[in-house]
Amino acid sequence: MSDNRALQRVNVLVNHILQSTPPSSNLSLTREICLQYSPPELNESCVFDVKEMRKLLDGHNVVDRDWIYGLMTQSNLFNRKERGGKIFVSPDYNQTMEQQREITMKRIWYLLENGVFKGWLTESGPDAELRKLALLEVCGIYDHSVSIKVGVHFFLWGNAVKFFGTKRHHEKWLKNTEDYVVKGCFAMTELGHGSNVRGIETVTTYDPTSEEFVITTPCESAQKYWIGGAANHATHTIVFSQLHINGTNQGVHAFIAQIRDQDGNICPNIRIADCGHKIGLNGVDNGRIWFDNLRIPRENLLNAVADVSSDGKYVSAIKDPDQRFGAFMAPLTSGRVTIASSAIYSAKVGLATAIRYSLSRRAFSVTANGPEVLLLDYPSHQRRLLPLLAKTYAMSFAANELKMIYVKRTPETNKAIHVVSSGFKAVLTWHNMRTLQECREAVGGQGIKTENLVGQLKGEFDVQTTFEGDNNVLMQQVSKALFAEYVSCKKRNKPFKGLGLEHMNTSRPVLPTQLTSSTLRCSQFQTNVFCLRERDLLERFTSEVAQLQGRGESREISFLQSHQLAEDLGKAFTEKALLQTILDAEAKLPAGSVKDVLGLVRSMYALISLEEDPSLLRYGYLSRENVGDVRREVSKLCGELRPHALALVTSFGIPDSFLSPIAFNWVEANAWSSV
Amino acid sequence: MAVEMASHSQVLVEEKSGVRILTLNRPKQLNALSFQMISRLLQLCLAYEEDPSVKLVILKGLGRAFCAGGDVAAVVRDIKQGNWRLGANYFSDEYILNYVMATYSKPQVSILNGIVMGGGAGVSVHGRFRIATENTVFAMPETALGLFPDIGASYFLSRLPGFFGEYVGLTGARLDGAEMLACGLATHFVPSKRLTALEADLCRVGSSDPTFASTILDAYTQKPRLKQQSAYRRLDVIDKCFSRRTVEEIISALEREATQEADGWISATILSLKKASPASLKISLRSIREGRLQGVGQCLIREYRMVCHVIKGEISKDFVEGCRAILVDKDKNPKWEPRRLEDMKDSMVEKYFTRVEEEGEWEDLKLPARKNLPAIAISKL
């Protein structure tokens, strides 16, 4: 009996290799009869030009990206290792926090020496900015810690000096920052205040006798918290603080303070403590700072928006404190832009790994003695990964669009950038976390090994849903901004313009009652559903808020009470904006295979978004039958995207060496010979 | 045992039990690869792969060269007669041969006892074992000819330590056997006087498992001394300069180094870059940089696009001019066009990497399907 079972098992394995009906006798177990890794490249076909698709997805600076990928693979600082005959580079997450911090700094020195940061603060204009964004993205694909540490130094410290400061600050700091002569950090968040910057408790006063500002941490909740770079490396910081002049609080202002000397000793009147070990990002030295009546020269106030004269008079061109605060915060949008795009690259690493694995790993036979089935040939596995792949595509275009409007920003586009970046940052970072979890599960136990990245990335990227604005707070801001826009247009009886709300000026779209496959895949139908949902939710939200206000509630309380609609609306707005970016990308393409495949991807994005949103049924935009049709179409699209899966993840353009061993020859990588 | 030793044959074949010894036999042309040789090599390689009695393939050259490269003179003749498509066919077959060798299921031992340049590297470096000797002279001289390191060089040069590949590919620097071994282009170094004995021993290999050949080769290999003025000892300078983003930045980094100390090697390096075709330098750098991130098949497909643009001559005609100046007229004074690096714009570079728009049926390189690949070949895909 047991002999029979053993023989049957051998048969299964042999079938598996030969993929045909085997002779059933005279079998001997030799070395060849064993699972073989079959590279998906040899079995999968590719009907479109992967290089073209990669250009579309990366959007800009492809050659610069390849250059810095190469800089990393060719240096021993990036933890090169060979697995299964291939070279991989990724951090050793088994290092202690201290080791991770030191190696991260060394990696940054190496990139600096090789000219990666050249022009990052001293050059301006869209081309320079896009190049910088591309290089930062690649840093983040290697290791989130590298990109965060670089990002804090250039985008927070550096941009604060550049945008909040004036000529005297630029001359003194920008070139030195670019060369890392000074190492900057950015002390905004406090223990007691994060997203609510206006509530921070640090206080700065002015002493006209010595022409100095005096910065104080008045209580424990005012300690600066999570300050990246502060624990070990930073020499200087931007300090956000309330500015008290002659007993009047002029609101939040930014100052430059030195916190360490060139030898790394902490300066007098500064206390710094470590934030300690974290669930990820341990290459970043987050610290806490207390200011004990620290005195800094008057010139260290970043005075682009407001200044204090030597005799202690407060002067500002912007009288309204709300507007002044807005002017202060406007340049910080760059953080949300870079977070959104880096989240998508992280999702790409997860998906490229999980999909490649699912094209080489088999499990269970569906027929007796039949070969085991490739994971991605299970419809359920397709359903788990391919809709996430389609969303990642749509969001990739969205991140590119966000970067474009950011680098071409004008004072007029500030509001749109704020709204769009808030929505995209929240939705894209949530998508990344969800994708990484699905990918981790999809590669099974292999996802647990930090070497295989997918599991580890969850910890490394989790903070993205919180920093630079908590996602939930950001989504509420989206709804509030839409509310304001709606009220303002209705009050002045003016048409909607901007934020993609122009569709509100036309009549309400009518959806067909019967949804055929071709209707569901039609871009006009998809646009109509997304517009209808946004429009209706915006009307519901504004009327609910108005109702509450009519009952005597304040506007703020009314918003809080309407949080469920606010949430639905923020999501509807963002998903529609995402759909628009992939439609725009598709429309620019000449007829051909790239456009065709992108059309499938776009339909998958649109339909999975509908399938997952209960508000369509809740508010009756679609009937129960319609929703069933959508669900069936998603399943059909899974089958149609399956043959393109490998080419679609190859088009991410992430080099093999930045993925992980399970994405390639995982049998060889785990062979005894490589122990 | 020899079945085919006719002296007119450009590839000589010897059969010694499980081993096939292929000898490139065009000594007057330093064994430059003719179309006929490439076709023959490809045919033999594919046949040996199917033939279970063949366990190992040895490739060597007759005379003082292993192989001095592709037969570019013939290609230039075709171009001048308005037949660049004939040239394209030549490169297509050559690259397919390179691909088959890179993904070969049986060990190939190349005995590099003499000159190995360009196409010669293409038929050896992709194979499993490369034996250098004291007579070996290796170079990728394409940028001086208005071409670029092709034959899959963007795959193997980019995988040399640090930025040594950029150095070798852009400057055309010559390497000796010891340097080839040090940087990994060669796997073994055997003094030429022991080659006969080595070959005899290899002929006793009865399995296509590479560990058998490896054991024999290890017994013959020596550790040669790297010469004092070897470029490989300057890897720190090479990494510092050749890692730069653009060719212009590489040259200015080298010039900065040169001002810090007078150094013959740096001056010679700068000079070779200044003499090379600006168009070639720029497309070569980008090709190596892309190649670093691609599998060997993708590299060859890209190089085939590039070489078709080169021989079509719409963006630059430097290939014909380079061959004229170096190989035909031998005045060593090519008139490059564009003349200066800054005139070779990014948009012009970009064109070399796109599909060739051609009336008629130009197609991307079609790589043959491969099967039963060993792990080492899988890792190159």
Side-chain angles (χ1 to χ4, degrees):
Chain A
M1 199 53 186
S2 69
D3 277 346
N4 279 345
R5 279 187 60 81
L7 189 62
Q8 192 189 339
R9 182 75 193 139
V10 171
N11 279 338
V12 169
L13 286 171
V14 171
N15 282 346
H16 179 84
I17 311 306
L18 303 173
Q19 308 250 328
S20 62
T21 331
S24 56
S25 58
N26 296 332
L27 279 172
S28 67
L29 262 177
T30 68
R31 226 174 122 227
E32 274 73 38
I33 302 184
C34 172
L35 279 181
Q36 297 274 326
Y37 172 82
S38 176
E41 284 82 359
L42 299 186
N43 311 318
E44 301 290 317
S45 62
C46 178
V47 302
F48 64 89
D49 187 337
V50 165
K51 285 180 85 172
E52 283 306 308
M53 191 67 101
R54 184 211 167 179
K55 265 195 226 165
L56 282 182
L57 288 178
D58 273 340
H60 57 98
N61 298 85
V62 171
V63 177
D64 294 322
R65 289 171 201 268
D66 287 353
W67 168 58
I68 181 173
Y69 279 131
L71 279 180
M72 293 177 177
T73 57
Q74 295 309 98
S75 161
N76 290 325
L77 282 171
F78 291 80
N79 192 32
R80 269 169 76 95
K81 52 190 188 289
E82 200 229 283
R83 295 283 184 279
K86 286 180 90 83
I87 295 294
F88 293 97
V89 286
S90 74
D92 175 2
Y93 291 110
N94 190 34
Q95 283 187 324
T96 64
M97 178 180 84
E98 288 76 12
Q99 288 171 323
Q100 291 191 47
R101 289 176 178 183
E102 286 320 301
I103 192 72
T104 302
M105 198 64 230
K106 278 190 192 150
R107 286 168 186 152
I108 293 172
W109 288 130
Y110 168 80
L111 298 174
L112 174 72
E113 281 163 19
N114 281 286
V116 169
F117 308 127
K118 202 167 141 256
W120 277 33
L121 286 166
T122 54
E123 287 172 23
S124 308
D127 288 348
E129 294 217 52
L130 286 174
R131 186 169 155 241
K132 178 165 66 177
L133 292 171
L135 296 173
L136 186 74
E137 282 161 6
V138 177
C139 290
I141 291 168
Y142 172 72
D143 180 21
H144 199 204
S145 285
V146 172
S147 73
I148 289 302
K149 214 163 155 57
V150 167
V152 167
H153 179 74
F154 284 98
F155 285 80
L156 295 178
W157 154 267
N159 277 355
V161 172
K162 194 168 177 175
F163 298 127
F164 304 158
T166 51
K167 192 157 172 274
R168 66 174 185 237
H169 305 111
H170 299 166
E171 284 167 357
K172 187 166 177 187
W173 303 105
L174 292 185
K175 182 73 172 61
N176 279 343
T177 299
E178 208 171 279
D179 298 339
Y180 272 87
V181 175
V182 296
K183 283 172 268 181
C185 63
F186 189 79
M188 184 154 83
T189 297
E190 296 175 357
L191 176 60
H193 290 85
S195 293
N196 180 16
V197 179
R198 294 184 77 172
I200 59 172
E201 297 171 289
T202 302
V203 172
T204 298
T205 55
Y206 181 68
D207 178 358
T209 58
S210 61
E211 299 191 12
E212 287 171 322
F213 288 107
V214 184
I215 306 177
T216 312
T217 303
C219 52
E220 285 299 359
S221 59
Q223 64 180 275
K224 293 295 178 183
Y225 216 104
W226 295 127
I227 311 310
N232 293 123
H233 297 124
T235 58
H236 292 72
T237 186
I238 304 287
V239 186
F240 280 82
S241 162
Q242 307 289 349
L243 175 60
H244 288 194
I245 297 289
N246 299 324
T248 309
N249 184 3
Q250 297 292 354
V252 175
H253 288 69
F255 304 84
I256 290 176
Q258 182 162 4
I259 56 172
R260 281 194 182 82
D261 63 20
Q262 287 304 325
D263 300 326
N265 304 306
I266 296 171
C267 294
N269 301 88
I270 302 270
R271 282 175 289 147
I272 293 178
D274 208 303
C275 286
H277 189 254
K278 304 185 294 279
I279 61 167
L281 271 185
N282 281 303
V284 179
D285 51 323
N286 291 94
R288 305 182 276 150
I289 311 176
W290 291 256
F291 300 98
D292 302 328
N293 294 319
L294 176 73
R295 290 183 163 262
I296 56 165
R298 187 180 71 92
E299 292 73 32
N300 282 17
L301 169 66
L302 292 170
N303 60 340
V305 174
D307 207 351
V308 173
S309 65
S310 55
D311 59 347
K313 288 210 178 58
Y314 184 79
V315 277
S316 174
I318 308 175
K319 296 295 169 217
D320 176 25
D322 282 349
Q323 276 185 21
R324 205 154 62 211
F325 182 75
F328 250 127
M329 293 300 126
L332 297 183
T333 328
S334 68
R336 291 202 285 274
V337 176
T338 56
I339 290 167
S341 70
S342 109
I344 288 312
Y345 278 103
S346 159
K348 286 175 181 173
V349 171
L351 281 168
T353 307
I355 288 180
R356 290 189 59 91
Y357 186 68
S358 71
L359 290 168
S360 67
R361 169 75 193 215
R362 292 165 185 272
F364 303 105
S365 314
V366 283
T367 54
N369 300 331
E372 288 182 288
V373 177
L374 212 48
L375 294 186
L376 202 62
D377 286 334
Y378 286 100
S380 57
H381 210 76
Q382 294 169 8
R383 174 61 186 78
R384 287 167 68 187
L385 294 177
L386 300 182
L388 293 172
L389 175 65
K391 285 186 172 188
T392 302
Y393 261 70
M395 293 179 191
S396 201
F397 292 113
N400 286 342
E401 173 65 15
L402 180 59
K403 283 187 271 178
M404 290 306 163
I405 55 177
Y406 171 72
V407 302
K408 293 178 188 158
R409 64 192 173 278
T410 62
E412 292 74 48
T413 59
N414 271 345
K415 188 174 74 183
I417 293 178
H418 174 73
V419 178
V420 175
S421 69
S422 298
F424 282 6
K425 184 267 187 183
V427 169
L428 272 55
T429 57
W430 273 327
H431 167 74
N432 180 36
M433 293 312 294
R434 186 182 156 199
T435 301
L436 290 174
Q437 180 63 28
E438 196 63 67
C439 291
R440 207 298 291 150
E441 293 177 37
V443 300
Q446 287 295 327
I448 304 297
K449 286 172 66 132
T450 57
E451 176 182 83
N452 288 331
L453 288 178
V454 267
Q456 179 71 23
L457 291 183
K458 292 190 295 170
E460 297 296 320
F461 281 87
D462 199 334
V463 69
Q464 286 195 327
T465 60
T466 296
F467 65 13
E468 295 284 322
D470 169 83
N471 279 3
N472 291 286
V473 174
L474 292 179
M475 289 305 272
Q476 283 163 12
Q477 293 194 4
V478 170
S479 303
K480 273 191 198 176
L482 294 174
F483 174 89
E485 193 68 17
Y486 185 88
V487 170
S488 140
C489 286
K490 290 293 168 195
K491 201 186 272 175
R492 291 184 223 155
N493 204 19
K494 272 175 41 182
F496 289 91
K497 192 164 175 289
L499 296 177
L501 294 175
E502 290 82 357
H503 66 94
M504 306 275 294
N505 300 321
T506 60
S507 57
R508 218 178 150 88
V510 177
L511 304 178
T513 43
Q514 300 288 323
L515 298 180
T516 63
S517 178
S518 66
T519 309
L520 287 165
R521 294 184 188 205
C522 161
S523 59
Q524 188 57 54
F525 165 77
Q526 293 160 3
T527 307
N528 283 348
V529 189
F530 280 65
C531 285
L532 177 64
R533 179 177 61 163
E534 179 183 64
R535 174 190 200 121
D536 187 71
L537 286 168
L538 180 50
E539 286 165 358
R540 281 173 193 270
F541 180 57
T542 48
S543 86
E544 186 171 300
V545 170
Q547 249 179 26
L548 288 164
Q549 282 180 299
R551 282 190 234 140
E553 296 287 3
S554 72
R555 199 167 104 161
E556 283 309 314
I557 295 287
S558 309
F559 276 141
L560 298 185
Q561 295 295 330
S562 312
H563 68 97
Q564 288 175 320
L565 272 169
E567 192 190 327
D568 287 346
L569 172 61
K571 193 173 159 214
F573 166 82
T574 310
E575 287 188 348
K576 199 201 102 212
L578 289 171
L579 177 66
Q580 196 55 50
T581 60
I582 189 169
L583 278 170
D584 290 346
E586 197 186 331
K588 279 187 209 136
L589 289 173
S593 49
V594 172
K595 192 183 185 109
D596 294 344
V597 173
L598 208 53
L600 287 179
V601 170
R602 182 254 306 155
S603 282
M604 174 64 105
Y605 164 74
L607 298 182
I608 193 67
S609 302
L610 298 181
E611 201 212 279
E612 287 174 350
D613 185 7
S615 73
L616 294 155
L617 273 177
R618 185 183 298 137
Y619 303 112
Y621 312 135
L622 295 181
S623 67
R624 275 181 62 190
E625 289 71 35
N626 292 160
V627 171
D629 293 333
V630 168
R631 195 173 169 80
R632 265 189 298 281
E633 200 63 20
V634 165
S635 177
K636 252 170 83 184
L637 277 166
C638 281
E640 286 175 49
L641 281 173
R642 159 66 185 85
H644 305 299
L646 180 68
L648 286 170
V649 296
T650 307
S651 302
F652 288 157
I654 298 171
D656 295 356
S657 48
F658 287 74
L659 299 177
S660 58
I662 38 159
F664 299 94
N665 192 345
W666 41 270
V667 177
E668 188 70 14
N670 285 289
W672 178 252
S673 58
S674 61
V675 168
Chain B
M1 291 290 269
V3 282
E4 186 188 349
M5 284 293 276
S7 60
H8 63 271
S9 174
Q10 294 185 358
V11 179
L12 308 179
V13 180
E14 293 170 75
E15 284 186 15
K16 298 206 171 153
S17 64
V19 176
R20 298 293 176 274
I21 303 173
L22 309 180
T23 305
L24 304 176
N25 178 29
R26 229 182 146 210
K28 273 189 195 153
Q29 290 86 4
L30 300 173
N31 299 326
L33 297 170
S34 64
F35 190 77
Q36 191 192 335
M37 286 162 92
I38 286 170
S39 308
R40 182 76 179 129
L41 284 172
L42 183 58
Q43 178 196 18
L44 290 169
C45 282
L46 292 174
Y48 294 156
E49 207 166 34
E50 295 295 321
D51 181 349
S53 72
V54 178
K55 310 294 183 194
L56 179 94
V57 179
I58 295 177
L59 185 63
K60 57 184 190 172
L62 198 70
R64 65 189 180 93
F66 167 76
C67 169
D71 195 356
V72 287
V75 174
V76 168
R77 262 197 313 278
D78 292 336
I79 298 172
K80 282 184 166 167
Q81 289 163 7
N83 269 329
W84 70 270
R85 294 297 288 268
L86 279 180
N89 291 343
Y90 170 85
F91 287 113
S92 158
D93 277 22
E94 184 180 22
Y95 297 176
I96 286 170
L97 174 64
N98 300 146
Y99 180 69
V100 168
M101 287 175 159
T103 53
Y104 210 54
S105 58
K106 295 174 183 180
Q108 174 190 343
V109 179
S110 301
I111 299 174
L112 310 177
N113 187 29
I115 298 164
V116 187
M117 292 188 186
V123 292
S124 55
V125 176
H126 292 294
R128 188 73 171 80
F129 300 109
R130 294 86 65 183
I131 316 305
T133 74
E134 75 281 4
N135 298 321
T136 306
V137 181
F138 174 95
M140 296 301 289
E142 288 86 352
T143 59
L145 279 176
L147 192 61
F148 64 94
D150 60 339
I151 50 90
S154 63
Y155 180 81
F156 63 73
L157 286 180
S158 63
R159 280 158 178 80
L160 300 185
F163 294 84
F164 198 64
E166 271 94 337
Y167 165 72
V168 169
L170 295 185
T171 64
R174 291 184 170 204
L175 305 181
D176 62 22
E179 290 170 318
M180 280 188 84
L181 183 70
C183 75
L185 281 167
T187 55
H188 298 79
F189 183 96
V190 177
S192 60
K193 60 175 192 291
R194 301 196 66 198
L195 288 176
T196 316
L198 169 66
E199 231 180 272
D201 262 0
L202 283 172
C203 288
R204 286 201 284 273
V205 165
S207 161
S208 58
D209 182 335
T211 51
F212 292 92
S214 186
T215 310
I216 295 169
L217 287 164
D218 288 347
Y220 281 84
T221 196
Q222 293 191 356
K223 204 170 158 42
R225 251 186 72 77
L226 207 53
K227 64 183 183 234
Q228 205 50 49
Q229 67 279 28
S230 167
Y232 200 70
R233 293 184 186 271
R234 310 303 297 273
L235 209 50
D236 54 337
V237 181
I238 288 173
D239 282 352
K240 204 162 147 190
C241 300
F242 284 87
S243 61
R244 296 284 152 165
R245 196 168 65 93
T246 62
V247 177
E248 289 92 330
E249 287 174 45
I250 289 171
I251 293 176
S252 60
L254 284 164
E255 285 172 341
R256 260 200 310 283
E257 287 293 316
T259 57
Q260 280 166 19
E261 57 172 322
D263 181 321
W265 173 78
I266 295 183
S267 318
T269 302
I270 296 172
L271 191 66
S272 60
L273 291 173
K274 297 213 160 157
K275 278 169 69 178
S277 150
S280 292
L281 287 175
K282 287 205 172 177
I283 62 171
S284 301
L285 181 65
R286 171 144 169 208
S287 174
I288 293 168
R289 296 269 161 95
E290 277 196 30
R292 185 163 279 140
L293 312 172
Q294 294 172 331
V296 69
Q298 289 169 292
C299 283
L300 288 162
I301 291 171
R302 170 175 37 73
E303 289 174 6
Y304 181 67
R305 283 187 182 187
M306 293 170 69
V307 86
C308 286
H309 282 289
V310 165
I311 59 181
K312 208 176 163 201
E314 279 181 344
I315 310 156
S316 162
K317 297 186 184 356
D318 280 1
F319 180 46
V320 173
E321 173 60 13
C323 290
R324 179 203 65 75
I326 308 294
L327 304 177
V328 184
D329 296 350
K330 299 191 175 156
D331 60 19
K332 293 188 178 163
N333 187 22
K335 299 275 179 281
W336 302 129
E337 191 58 48
R339 196 166 59 82
R340 297 175 310 168
L341 282 167
E342 55 267 39
D343 299 331
M344 184 68 190
K345 306 281 182 218
D346 287 351
S347 57
M348 295 159 75
V349 174
E350 181 68 33
K351 281 198 191 131
Y352 283 90
F353 296 81
T354 57
R355 293 172 48 83
V356 175
E357 297 302 333
E358 177 71 7
E359 300 290 315
E361 64 300 344
W362 184 92
E363 276 184 7
D364 269 326
L365 184 66
K366 283 255 185 306
L367 296 171
R370 306 290 288 146
K371 52 185 183 196
N372 303 324
L373 296 184
I376 191 165
I378 288 174
S379 73
K380 295 180 190 174
L381 293 172

